[in-house]
Amino acid sequence: MLLPLRNKNNISDVYCGQFDQHFLAGMSWKSTLACTVGRELHSKGKLSYILDGDNLRHGLNRDLGFKAEDRTENIRRVGEVAKLFADAGLICIASLISPYRKDRDACRAMLPDANFIEVFMNMPLQLCEERDAKGLYKLARAGKIKGFTGIDDPYEPPLNCEIEIQQKDGVCPSPNDMAGDVVTYLEEKGFLQY
């Protein structure tokens, strides 16, 4: 998930995390979390925009498939767009699958390191499959989708994410609780003081 913003020093900031799949890092709940964070920021008077991987693949990235090189280009394009939003002073929340650490690191390198926040949705694969609203995990398990992250293509978890969201006592936090963790982090680090 990418959240580009301007801080009090007028410097562009990007929050990249996987709310599940990229840049809210992880494999599930990314769009739900992105929308909930967006609503929370709006309630605080902050301008934000969500770059959702599924929506981007219908337009900007419709020419890309799911091979490793296409995934890399997908993430690069989203990083560049998120950076433009940051330059315009908006908080940009990028919610997409970014399975490869090197691709997320390349987005991080577009901005000063302190201005890139990666949120890792560290949820078990079984939980992702149970929450499979689109039926994609089922299709991947049946061999109808090839190169599916977590099934026959790897997901490389971040090594040093700023925020990690995971189950508590075997229970997934609510979207509001997850968004609260993200917004609290942004407030504590001074990103919402402009």
Side-chain angles (χ1 to χ4, degrees):
M1 164 179 189
L2 294 173
L3 297 155
L5 6 130
R6 288 201 183 271
N7 66 18
K8 61 184 178 277
N9 298 320
N10 208 29
I11 298 171
S12 297
D13 301 299
V14 171
Y15 303 92
C16 178
Q18 305 229 154
F19 294 169
D20 177 345
Q21 314 209 28
H22 328 24
F23 287 2
L24 288 186
M27 296 194 352
S28 194
W29 287 275
K30 64 186 184 297
S31 296
T32 300
L33 180 54
C35 289
T36 308
V37 168
R39 281 192 299 274
E40 181 70 19
L41 292 171
H42 178 77
S43 75
K44 294 179 177 300
K46 306 302 176 195
L47 295 175
S48 66
Y49 191 83
I50 297 169
L51 295 175
D52 184 79
D54 291 340
N55 295 335
L56 292 167
R57 285 200 173 267
H58 294 295
L60 178 67
N61 295 331
R62 71 176 168 262
D63 60 323
L64 300 174
F66 291 93
K67 296 180 290 184
E69 57 272 15
D70 286 347
R71 288 175 182 249
T72 294
E73 178 59 13
N74 181 51
I75 300 307
R76 186 197 67 77
R77 289 180 189 179
V78 172
E80 293 290 350
V81 171
K83 185 178 175 188
L84 292 172
F85 276 102
D87 289 344
L90 276 78
I91 299 169
C92 181
I93 304 166
S95 167
L96 54 146
I97 297 173
S98 54
Y100 310 125
R101 201 174 290 124
K102 68 176 177 52
D103 296 337
R104 296 189 306 266
D105 289 345
C107 285
R108 183 182 290 274
M110 291 179 189
L111 298 163
D113 193 48
N115 298 333
F116 184 93
I117 290 86
E118 185 171 11
V119 180
F120 176 36
M121 296 292 296
N122 189 2
M123 299 294 169
L125 179 60
Q126 177 184 349
L127 198 58
C128 297
E129 291 189 65
E130 289 171 4
R131 191 180 187 274
D132 187 16
K134 297 176 187 172
L136 299 178
Y137 284 99
K138 187 175 181 179
L139 291 172
R141 290 280 187 201
K144 296 180 180 177
I145 298 176
K146 301 292 182 198
F148 195 79
T149 302
I151 304 299
D152 61 353
D153 199 50
Y155 178 80
E156 300 170 355
L159 299 175
N160 296 302
C161 60
E162 285 73 16
I163 302 170
E164 181 175 355
I165 297 175
Q166 55 190 340
Q167 290 181 322
K168 293 177 177 110
D169 299 320
V171 177
C172 182
S174 72
N176 287 335
D177 288 342
M178 292 186 281
D181 290 346
V182 173
V183 172
T184 296
Y185 178 91
L186 298 177
E187 289 173 334
E188 288 173 355
K189 298 297 180 181
F191 289 109
L192 302 183
Q193 294 179 359
Y194 66 95

Short mmCIF file of all heavy atoms in Angstrom, two decimals, residues 21-74:
data_model
loop_
_atom_site.label_atom_id
_atom_site.label_comp_id
_atom_site.label_asym_id
_atom_site.label_seq_id
_atom_site.Cartn_x
_atom_site.Cartn_y
_atom_site.Cartn_z
N GLN A 21 -2.07 -7.87 -0.33
CA GLN A 21 -1.19 -7.87 -1.46
C GLN A 21 -0.79 -6.47 -1.81
O GLN A 21 -1.57 -5.71 -2.19
CB GLN A 21 -1.94 -8.51 -2.55
CG GLN A 21 -2.54 -9.69 -1.94
CD GLN A 21 -2.76 -10.79 -2.85
OE1 GLN A 21 -2.11 -10.96 -3.79
NE2 GLN A 21 -3.70 -11.57 -2.54
N HIS A 22 0.27 -6.21 -1.76
CA HIS A 22 1.07 -5.09 -2.15
C HIS A 22 0.45 -3.75 -2.24
O HIS A 22 -0.28 -3.48 -3.07
CB HIS A 22 1.65 -5.38 -3.43
CG HIS A 22 1.86 -6.82 -3.51
ND1 HIS A 22 1.22 -7.78 -2.83
CD2 HIS A 22 2.75 -7.47 -4.16
CE1 HIS A 22 1.68 -8.94 -3.10
NE2 HIS A 22 2.61 -8.78 -3.89
N PHE A 23 0.84 -2.98 -1.98
CA PHE A 23 1.56 -2.17 -1.04
C PHE A 23 0.73 -1.98 0.18
O PHE A 23 0.58 -0.92 0.62
CB PHE A 23 1.91 -0.88 -1.65
CG PHE A 23 2.99 -1.02 -2.65
CD1 PHE A 23 3.55 -2.23 -2.97
CD2 PHE A 23 3.52 0.11 -3.21
CE1 PHE A 23 4.56 -2.32 -3.83
CE2 PHE A 23 4.54 0.03 -4.07
CZ PHE A 23 5.05 -1.20 -4.39
N LEU A 24 0.16 -2.70 0.55
CA LEU A 24 -0.25 -3.03 1.87
C LEU A 24 0.25 -4.43 1.72
O LEU A 24 -0.28 -5.15 0.96
CB LEU A 24 -1.73 -2.96 2.02
CG LEU A 24 -2.31 -1.58 2.02
CD1 LEU A 24 -3.76 -1.55 2.32
CD2 LEU A 24 -1.59 -0.67 2.94
N ALA A 25 1.31 -4.78 2.27
CA ALA A 25 1.97 -6.02 1.91
C ALA A 25 1.30 -7.18 2.55
O ALA A 25 1.00 -7.16 3.70
CB ALA A 25 3.43 -5.96 2.32
N GLY A 26 1.14 -8.21 1.84
CA GLY A 26 0.54 -9.40 2.37
C GLY A 26 -0.31 -10.02 1.31
O GLY A 26 -0.11 -9.77 0.14
N MET A 27 -1.27 -10.83 1.69
CA MET A 27 -2.03 -11.53 0.67
C MET A 27 -3.54 -11.41 0.81
O MET A 27 -4.25 -12.09 0.11
CB MET A 27 -1.60 -12.98 0.61
CG MET A 27 -0.16 -13.06 0.19
SD MET A 27 0.47 -14.62 -0.31
CE MET A 27 -0.76 -15.78 0.04
N SER A 28 -4.05 -10.59 1.67
CA SER A 28 -5.50 -10.42 1.75
C SER A 28 -5.83 -9.17 2.54
O SER A 28 -5.02 -8.69 3.30
CB SER A 28 -6.11 -11.66 2.41
OG SER A 28 -7.49 -11.66 2.23
N TRP A 29 -7.03 -8.68 2.34
CA TRP A 29 -7.57 -7.51 3.05
C TRP A 29 -7.02 -6.19 2.55
O TRP A 29 -7.29 -5.16 3.13
CB TRP A 29 -7.33 -7.59 4.57
CG TRP A 29 -8.19 -8.60 5.24
CD1 TRP A 29 -9.45 -8.40 5.69
CD2 TRP A 29 -7.87 -9.93 5.54
NE1 TRP A 29 -9.93 -9.54 6.24
CE2 TRP A 29 -8.97 -10.49 6.17
CE3 TRP A 29 -6.74 -10.71 5.33
CZ2 TRP A 29 -9.00 -11.80 6.59
CZ3 TRP A 29 -6.76 -12.01 5.76
CH2 TRP A 29 -7.88 -12.54 6.38
N LYS A 30 -6.25 -6.19 1.49
CA LYS A 30 -5.61 -4.94 1.08
C LYS A 30 -6.62 -3.87 0.68
O LYS A 30 -6.51 -2.74 1.11
CB LYS A 30 -4.61 -5.20 -0.04
CG LYS A 30 -5.21 -5.71 -1.31
CD LYS A 30 -4.17 -6.09 -2.34
CE LYS A 30 -4.80 -6.51 -3.63
NZ LYS A 30 -5.64 -7.71 -3.53
N SER A 31 -7.59 -4.21 -0.14
CA SER A 31 -8.56 -3.20 -0.58
C SER A 31 -9.45 -2.74 0.57
O SER A 31 -9.75 -1.55 0.70
CB SER A 31 -9.43 -3.76 -1.72
OG SER A 31 -8.62 -4.03 -2.85
N THR A 32 -9.85 -3.67 1.41
CA THR A 32 -10.68 -3.32 2.57
C THR A 32 -9.93 -2.35 3.48
O THR A 32 -10.48 -1.33 3.90
CB THR A 32 -11.06 -4.60 3.36
OG1 THR A 32 -11.79 -5.47 2.49
CG2 THR A 32 -11.89 -4.26 4.58
N LEU A 33 -8.68 -2.67 3.76
CA LEU A 33 -7.89 -1.79 4.62
C LEU A 33 -7.65 -0.45 3.95
O LEU A 33 -7.77 0.60 4.58
CB LEU A 33 -6.56 -2.45 4.99
CG LEU A 33 -5.66 -1.63 5.88
CD1 LEU A 33 -6.36 -1.17 7.15
CD2 LEU A 33 -4.42 -2.43 6.24
N ALA A 34 -7.34 -0.45 2.66
CA ALA A 34 -7.09 0.80 1.95
C ALA A 34 -8.31 1.72 2.02
O ALA A 34 -8.19 2.91 2.31
CB ALA A 34 -6.72 0.52 0.49
N CYS A 35 -9.49 1.16 1.78
CA CYS A 35 -10.71 1.98 1.84
C CYS A 35 -10.98 2.49 3.25
O CYS A 35 -11.39 3.64 3.42
CB CYS A 35 -11.90 1.16 1.33
SG CYS A 35 -11.84 0.87 -0.44
N THR A 36 -10.73 1.65 4.24
CA THR A 36 -10.97 2.06 5.62
C THR A 36 -9.99 3.15 6.04
O THR A 36 -10.38 4.13 6.69
CB THR A 36 -10.89 0.85 6.56
OG1 THR A 36 -11.77 -0.19 6.07
CG2 THR A 36 -11.33 1.22 7.97
N VAL A 37 -8.72 3.01 5.65
CA VAL A 37 -7.74 4.06 5.94
C VAL A 37 -8.13 5.35 5.22
O VAL A 37 -8.08 6.43 5.79
CB VAL A 37 -6.30 3.62 5.54
CG1 VAL A 37 -5.34 4.81 5.57
CG2 VAL A 37 -5.80 2.52 6.46
N GLY A 38 -8.55 5.22 3.95
CA GLY A 38 -8.97 6.39 3.19
C GLY A 38 -10.12 7.13 3.86
O GLY A 38 -10.11 8.37 3.95
N ARG A 39 -11.11 6.40 4.36
CA ARG A 39 -12.24 7.03 5.06
C ARG A 39 -11.77 7.71 6.34
O ARG A 39 -12.22 8.81 6.67
CB ARG A 39 -13.32 5.99 5.36
CG ARG A 39 -14.20 5.66 4.17
CD ARG A 39 -15.43 4.87 4.57
NE ARG A 39 -15.12 3.59 5.19
CZ ARG A 39 -14.90 2.46 4.53
NH1 ARG A 39 -14.95 2.46 3.20
NH2 ARG A 39 -14.63 1.35 5.17
N GLU A 40 -10.88 7.05 7.07
CA GLU A 40 -10.37 7.62 8.32
C GLU A 40 -9.61 8.92 8.04
O GLU A 40 -9.76 9.91 8.77
CB GLU A 40 -9.47 6.60 9.03
CG GLU A 40 -8.91 7.08 10.34
CD GLU A 40 -9.94 7.20 11.45
OE1 GLU A 40 -11.03 6.60 11.36
OE2 GLU A 40 -9.65 7.93 12.42
N LEU A 41 -8.79 8.91 7.00
CA LEU A 41 -8.04 10.12 6.65
C LEU A 41 -8.99 11.24 6.22
O LEU A 41 -8.81 12.40 6.59
CB LEU A 41 -7.02 9.82 5.55
CG LEU A 41 -5.87 8.91 5.96
CD1 LEU A 41 -5.05 8.50 4.74
CD2 LEU A 41 -4.98 9.58 7.00
N HIS A 42 -10.02 10.87 5.45
CA HIS A 42 -11.01 11.86 5.02
C HIS A 42 -11.70 12.49 6.23
O HIS A 42 -11.93 13.71 6.27
CB HIS A 42 -12.04 11.21 4.09
CG HIS A 42 -13.12 12.13 3.64
ND1 HIS A 42 -12.93 13.09 2.67
CD2 HIS A 42 -14.40 12.27 4.06
CE1 HIS A 42 -14.04 13.77 2.50
NE2 HIS A 42 -14.96 13.29 3.33
N SER A 43 -12.03 11.66 7.22
CA SER A 43 -12.70 12.19 8.41
C SER A 43 -11.81 13.16 9.18
O SER A 43 -12.30 13.97 9.95
CB SER A 43 -13.13 11.04 9.34
OG SER A 43 -12.03 10.50 10.03
N LYS A 44 -10.50 13.08 8.94
CA LYS A 44 -9.55 14.00 9.58
C LYS A 44 -9.21 15.18 8.66
O LYS A 44 -8.30 15.94 8.94
CB LYS A 44 -8.28 13.24 9.96
CG LYS A 44 -8.51 12.20 11.05
CD LYS A 44 -7.23 11.47 11.39
CE LYS A 44 -7.45 10.50 12.53
NZ LYS A 44 -7.91 11.11 13.77
N GLY A 45 -9.92 15.26 7.53
CA GLY A 45 -9.71 16.38 6.62
C GLY A 45 -8.50 16.24 5.71
O GLY A 45 -8.03 17.23 5.15
N LYS A 46 -8.01 15.02 5.53
CA LYS A 46 -6.84 14.78 4.69
C LYS A 46 -7.28 14.27 3.32
O LYS A 46 -8.13 13.38 3.21
CB LYS A 46 -5.90 13.76 5.33
CG LYS A 46 -5.47 14.10 6.76
CD LYS A 46 -4.78 15.45 6.82
CE LYS A 46 -4.44 15.83 8.25
NZ LYS A 46 -4.09 17.22 8.38
N LEU A 47 -6.70 14.83 2.28
CA LEU A 47 -6.98 14.38 0.92
C LEU A 47 -6.21 13.10 0.64
O LEU A 47 -5.00 13.04 0.88
CB LEU A 47 -6.58 15.44 -0.09
CG LEU A 47 -7.37 16.75 -0.05
CD1 LEU A 47 -6.77 17.75 -1.03
CD2 LEU A 47 -8.83 16.50 -0.36
N SER A 48 -6.91 12.10 0.12
CA SER A 48 -6.24 10.85 -0.21
C SER A 48 -6.85 10.26 -1.47
O SER A 48 -7.95 10.64 -1.90
CB SER A 48 -6.34 9.86 0.95
OG SER A 48 -7.69 9.46 1.16
N TYR A 49 -6.10 9.34 -2.06
CA TYR A 49 -6.58 8.62 -3.25
C TYR A 49 -6.07 7.19 -3.17
O TYR A 49 -4.91 6.96 -2.81
CB TYR A 49 -6.09 9.29 -4.54
CG TYR A 49 -6.79 8.73 -5.75
CD1 TYR A 49 -8.04 9.21 -6.11
CD2 TYR A 49 -6.22 7.70 -6.49
CE1 TYR A 49 -8.71 8.68 -7.21
CE2 TYR A 49 -6.89 7.17 -7.57
CZ TYR A 49 -8.14 7.66 -7.93
OH TYR A 49 -8.80 7.12 -9.00
N ILE A 50 -6.92 6.25 -3.52
CA ILE A 50 -6.54 4.84 -3.47
C ILE A 50 -6.21 4.35 -4.87
O ILE A 50 -7.00 4.51 -5.81
CB ILE A 50 -7.69 3.99 -2.88
CG1 ILE A 50 -7.95 4.41 -1.44
CG2 ILE A 50 -7.35 2.50 -2.97
CD1 ILE A 50 -9.22 3.83 -0.85
N LEU A 51 -5.02 3.78 -5.01
CA LEU A 51 -4.63 3.09 -6.24
C LEU A 51 -4.81 1.60 -5.97
O LEU A 51 -4.00 0.98 -5.28
CB LEU A 51 -3.17 3.39 -6.59
CG LEU A 51 -2.84 4.83 -6.95
CD1 LEU A 51 -1.34 5.00 -7.15
CD2 LEU A 51 -3.59 5.24 -8.21
N ASP A 52 -5.88 1.03 -6.48
CA ASP A 52 -6.18 -0.38 -6.24
C ASP A 52 -5.70 -1.22 -7.42
O ASP A 52 -5.98 -0.91 -8.58
CB ASP A 52 -7.69 -0.56 -6.05
CG ASP A 52 -8.04 -1.99 -5.72
OD1 ASP A 52 -7.86 -2.38 -4.55
OD2 ASP A 52 -8.46 -2.72 -6.63
N GLY A 53 -4.97 -2.28 -7.10
CA GLY A 53 -4.37 -3.12 -8.14
C GLY A 53 -5.36 -3.65 -9.14
O GLY A 53 -5.11 -3.65 -10.35
N ASP A 54 -6.51 -4.12 -8.68
CA ASP A 54 -7.52 -4.65 -9.61
C ASP A 54 -7.99 -3.57 -10.57
O ASP A 54 -8.12 -3.80 -11.78
CB ASP A 54 -8.72 -5.21 -8.84
CG ASP A 54 -8.38 -6.48 -8.07
OD1 ASP A 54 -7.37 -7.13 -8.41
OD2 ASP A 54 -9.13 -6.81 -7.13
N ASN A 55 -8.26 -2.37 -10.06
CA ASN A 55 -8.72 -1.28 -10.92
C ASN A 55 -7.64 -0.84 -11.90
O ASN A 55 -7.92 -0.54 -13.06
CB ASN A 55 -9.19 -0.10 -10.08
CG ASN A 55 -10.41 -0.44 -9.26
OD1 ASN A 55 -11.18 -1.33 -9.61
ND2 ASN A 55 -10.60 0.25 -8.16
N LEU A 56 -6.40 -0.78 -11.43
CA LEU A 56 -5.30 -0.36 -12.30
C LEU A 56 -5.10 -1.33 -13.45
O LEU A 56 -4.69 -0.94 -14.55
CB LEU A 56 -4.01 -0.22 -11.49
CG LEU A 56 -4.01 0.94 -10.50
CD1 LEU A 56 -2.85 0.80 -9.54
CD2 LEU A 56 -3.95 2.26 -11.23
N ARG A 57 -5.36 -2.59 -13.24
CA ARG A 57 -5.19 -3.59 -14.30
C ARG A 57 -6.26 -3.49 -15.37
O ARG A 57 -6.14 -4.09 -16.43
CB ARG A 57 -5.14 -4.99 -13.70
CG ARG A 57 -3.78 -5.24 -13.03
CD ARG A 57 -3.51 -6.70 -12.87
NE ARG A 57 -2.18 -6.95 -12.39
CZ ARG A 57 -1.12 -7.19 -13.16
NH1 ARG A 57 -1.25 -7.18 -14.47
NH2 ARG A 57 0.06 -7.44 -12.64
N HIS A 58 -7.31 -2.70 -15.14
CA HIS A 58 -8.32 -2.45 -16.17
C HIS A 58 -7.96 -1.25 -17.04
O HIS A 58 -8.58 -1.04 -18.08
CB HIS A 58 -9.69 -2.22 -15.53
CG HIS A 58 -10.24 -3.41 -14.84
ND1 HIS A 58 -10.59 -4.57 -15.49
CD2 HIS A 58 -10.49 -3.64 -13.53
CE1 HIS A 58 -11.02 -5.47 -14.63
NE2 HIS A 58 -10.97 -4.92 -13.42
N GLY A 59 -6.98 -0.47 -16.62
CA GLY A 59 -6.62 0.74 -17.36
C GLY A 59 -5.13 0.86 -17.54
O GLY A 59 -4.55 0.31 -18.47
N LEU A 60 -4.49 1.58 -16.64
CA LEU A 60 -3.06 1.87 -16.73
C LEU A 60 -2.21 0.63 -17.00
O LEU A 60 -1.27 0.68 -17.80
CB LEU A 60 -2.59 2.54 -15.43
CG LEU A 60 -1.10 2.87 -15.32
CD1 LEU A 60 -0.72 3.96 -16.32
CD2 LEU A 60 -0.78 3.31 -13.90
N ASN A 61 -2.53 -0.47 -16.37
CA ASN A 61 -1.70 -1.67 -16.48
C ASN A 61 -2.40 -2.82 -17.20
O ASN A 61 -2.04 -3.99 -17.03
CB ASN A 61 -1.26 -2.11 -15.08
CG ASN A 61 -0.35 -1.10 -14.45
OD1 ASN A 61 0.36 -0.37 -15.13
ND2 ASN A 61 -0.39 -1.01 -13.13
N ARG A 62 -3.36 -2.49 -18.07
CA ARG A 62 -4.10 -3.55 -18.76
C ARG A 62 -3.24 -4.35 -19.72
O ARG A 62 -3.61 -5.45 -20.10
CB ARG A 62 -5.32 -2.96 -19.46
CG ARG A 62 -4.99 -2.11 -20.67
CD ARG A 62 -6.27 -1.65 -21.39
NE ARG A 62 -5.96 -0.64 -22.35
CZ ARG A 62 -6.07 0.66 -22.15
NH1 ARG A 62 -6.53 1.11 -21.01
NH2 ARG A 62 -5.75 1.52 -23.08
N ASP A 63 -2.09 -3.80 -20.10
CA ASP A 63 -1.20 -4.51 -21.02
C ASP A 63 -0.26 -5.49 -20.31
O ASP A 63 0.54 -6.15 -20.96
CB ASP A 63 -0.37 -3.51 -21.83
CG ASP A 63 0.50 -2.62 -20.96
OD1 ASP A 63 0.06 -2.23 -19.86
OD2 ASP A 63 1.63 -2.30 -21.39
N LEU A 64 -0.38 -5.61 -19.01
CA LEU A 64 0.51 -6.46 -18.23
C LEU A 64 -0.19 -7.73 -17.76
O LEU A 64 -1.35 -7.70 -17.38
CB LEU A 64 1.04 -5.69 -17.01
CG LEU A 64 1.82 -4.42 -17.31
CD1 LEU A 64 2.16 -3.69 -16.01
CD2 LEU A 64 3.07 -4.72 -18.12
N GLY A 65 0.57 -8.81 -17.77
CA GLY A 65 0.07 -10.07 -17.24
C GLY A 65 0.60 -10.29 -15.84
O GLY A 65 0.84 -9.33 -15.09
N PHE A 66 0.83 -11.56 -15.49
CA PHE A 66 1.26 -11.89 -14.13
C PHE A 66 2.61 -12.59 -14.10
O PHE A 66 2.99 -13.13 -13.07
CB PHE A 66 0.18 -12.71 -13.42
CG PHE A 66 -1.05 -11.90 -13.14
CD1 PHE A 66 -2.10 -11.89 -14.04
CD2 PHE A 66 -1.13 -11.12 -12.01
CE1 PHE A 66 -3.24 -11.12 -13.79
CE2 PHE A 66 -2.26 -10.34 -11.75
CZ PHE A 66 -3.31 -10.35 -12.65
N LYS A 67 3.33 -12.55 -15.22
CA LYS A 67 4.70 -13.07 -15.20
C LYS A 67 5.54 -12.14 -14.32
O LYS A 67 5.17 -10.98 -14.09
CB LYS A 67 5.29 -13.12 -16.62
CG LYS A 67 4.55 -14.08 -17.55
CD LYS A 67 5.17 -14.08 -18.93
CE LYS A 67 4.85 -12.75 -19.57
NZ LYS A 67 5.27 -12.58 -20.93
N ALA A 68 6.66 -12.65 -13.85
CA ALA A 68 7.51 -11.88 -12.91
C ALA A 68 7.86 -10.50 -13.48
O ALA A 68 7.77 -9.50 -12.77
CB ALA A 68 8.77 -12.66 -12.57
N GLU A 69 8.22 -10.43 -14.75
CA GLU A 69 8.62 -9.14 -15.32
C GLU A 69 7.42 -8.19 -15.44
O GLU A 69 7.56 -6.97 -15.31
CB GLU A 69 9.33 -9.30 -16.66
CG GLU A 69 8.55 -10.03 -17.73
CD GLU A 69 8.73 -11.56 -17.71
OE1 GLU A 69 9.24 -12.12 -16.73
OE2 GLU A 69 8.35 -12.19 -18.72
N ASP A 70 6.23 -8.72 -15.68
CA ASP A 70 5.03 -7.89 -15.73
C ASP A 70 4.66 -7.38 -14.34
O ASP A 70 4.24 -6.23 -14.17
CB ASP A 70 3.85 -8.66 -16.32
CG ASP A 70 3.96 -8.86 -17.83
OD1 ASP A 70 4.81 -8.20 -18.47
OD2 ASP A 70 3.20 -9.68 -18.37
N ARG A 71 4.82 -8.22 -13.34
CA ARG A 71 4.54 -7.79 -11.96
C ARG A 71 5.50 -6.67 -11.56
O ARG A 71 5.10 -5.69 -10.92
CB ARG A 71 4.68 -8.96 -11.00
CG ARG A 71 3.56 -9.97 -11.13
CD ARG A 71 3.81 -11.17 -10.22
NE ARG A 71 2.78 -12.16 -10.35
CZ ARG A 71 1.90 -12.46 -9.40
NH1 ARG A 71 1.94 -11.82 -8.25
NH2 ARG A 71 1.00 -13.39 -9.59
N THR A 72 6.77 -6.81 -11.96
CA THR A 72 7.75 -5.76 -11.66
C THR A 72 7.35 -4.44 -12.31
O THR A 72 7.39 -3.39 -11.67
CB THR A 72 9.15 -6.21 -12.13
OG1 THR A 72 9.56 -7.33 -11.35
CG2 THR A 72 10.18 -5.10 -12.01
N GLU A 73 6.94 -4.49 -13.56
CA GLU A 73 6.53 -3.27 -14.26
C GLU A 73 5.25 -2.69 -13.65
O GLU A 73 5.11 -1.47 -13.52
CB GLU A 73 6.33 -3.54 -15.75
CG GLU A 73 5.85 -2.34 -16.56
CD GLU A 73 6.78 -1.12 -16.52
OE1 GLU A 73 7.95 -1.23 -16.08
OE2 GLU A 73 6.34 -0.03 -16.95
N ASN A 74 4.33 -3.54 -13.24
CA ASN A 74 3.10 -3.10 -12.58
C ASN A 74 3.44 -2.28 -11.33
O ASN A 74 2.93 -1.16 -11.15
CB ASN A 74 2.27 -4.34 -12.22
CG ASN A 74 0.96 -4.00 -11.54
OD1 ASN A 74 0.19 -3.17 -12.01
ND2 ASN A 74 0.72 -4.65 -10.42
#
